[in-house]
Amino acid sequence: MKIELIDKESILYLVNSLQDFEKDKAIKSGLKSAANVFRKKGKSNLKGRLLHHGKQTSHLLNSFTTRTKRSRLGALAGFDRPGGNHSHLIDLGTRMRFTKSGAKRGIMPANKFWTDAKISEEKKAMDAIYKGVEKAVLRINSRR
């Protein structure tokens, strides 16, 4: 997932007084909080759309994760192994499939838990980036 609607000038204005390594740290803090917004919404969407609403201990629910990139500015929200290997099949669904011998392999209706999370939480993630960067800048400046 890639978000391109960030107002770079306002973020650069916030981190203008910081040194280079502090700038990266502050921006990564904001990006991590934005990735957490997607992770939380995707997890809640999946919990609400699972078939059985009792105790939910699926591998997919436990595989939600976020990471910040080490060498570049960026954050990733997605899935870890072993549960995340099949997340795209649950999100986008599958069509009827047949083996070479003609055996049916079933159909999986689309759940759209991750696609809906990306669409619905975009504005909230932008706000989280700005608030996260601002909070990190205030924290760094208060240590000086």
Side-chain angles (χ1 to χ4, degrees):
M1 154 178 30
K2 207 172 187 183
I3 298 177
E4 301 276 336
L5 300 173
I6 300 172
D7 185 16
K8 293 179 183 178
E9 290 82 24
S10 63
I11 290 178
L12 292 176
Y13 176 76
L14 285 173
V15 297
N16 193 18
S17 64
L18 301 177
Q19 295 175 356
D20 285 340
F21 71 94
E22 291 174 333
K23 286 180 185 180
D24 289 348
K25 195 171 186 178
I27 293 172
K28 282 184 180 183
S29 172
L31 290 172
K32 176 105 174 146
S33 63
N36 280 331
V37 168
F38 289 115
R39 181 183 58 84
K40 287 178 187 176
K41 184 62 175 182
K43 202 168 191 176
S44 70
N45 281 352
L46 182 62
K47 280 183 181 179
R49 296 174 189 186
L50 284 177
L51 193 61
H52 305 288
H53 297 289
K55 185 177 176 187
Q56 298 174 0
T57 57
S58 70
H59 288 290
L60 185 57
L61 276 173
N62 297 331
S63 71
F64 281 86
T65 187
T66 59
R67 290 196 175 118
T68 54
K69 294 182 177 181
R70 287 186 186 180
S71 59
R72 296 183 184 183
L73 291 177
L76 304 169
F79 309 95
D80 252 351
R81 294 181 181 230
N85 294 343
H86 62 283
S87 63
H88 64 286
L89 299 173
I90 294 173
D91 183 47
L92 301 175
T94 60
R95 58 179 173 75
M96 181 60 78
R97 303 173 310 281
F98 298 96
T99 63
K100 289 182 182 178
S101 62
K104 293 182 182 180
R105 288 297 174 241
I107 187 169
M108 172 77 185
N111 190 321
K112 302 279 188 188
F113 70 94
W114 191 247
T115 308
D116 291 345
K118 287 193 297 188
I119 293 169
S120 68
E121 298 301 304
E122 193 169 340
K123 178 71 173 147
K124 195 183 280 187
M126 291 299 145
D127 294 339
I129 290 175
Y130 297 130
K131 288 178 185 174
V133 170
E134 186 177 3
K135 187 176 176 182
V137 168
L138 291 174
R139 187 179 65 238
I140 290 170
N141 285 335
S142 68
R143 280 190 260 153
R144 290 182 176 177

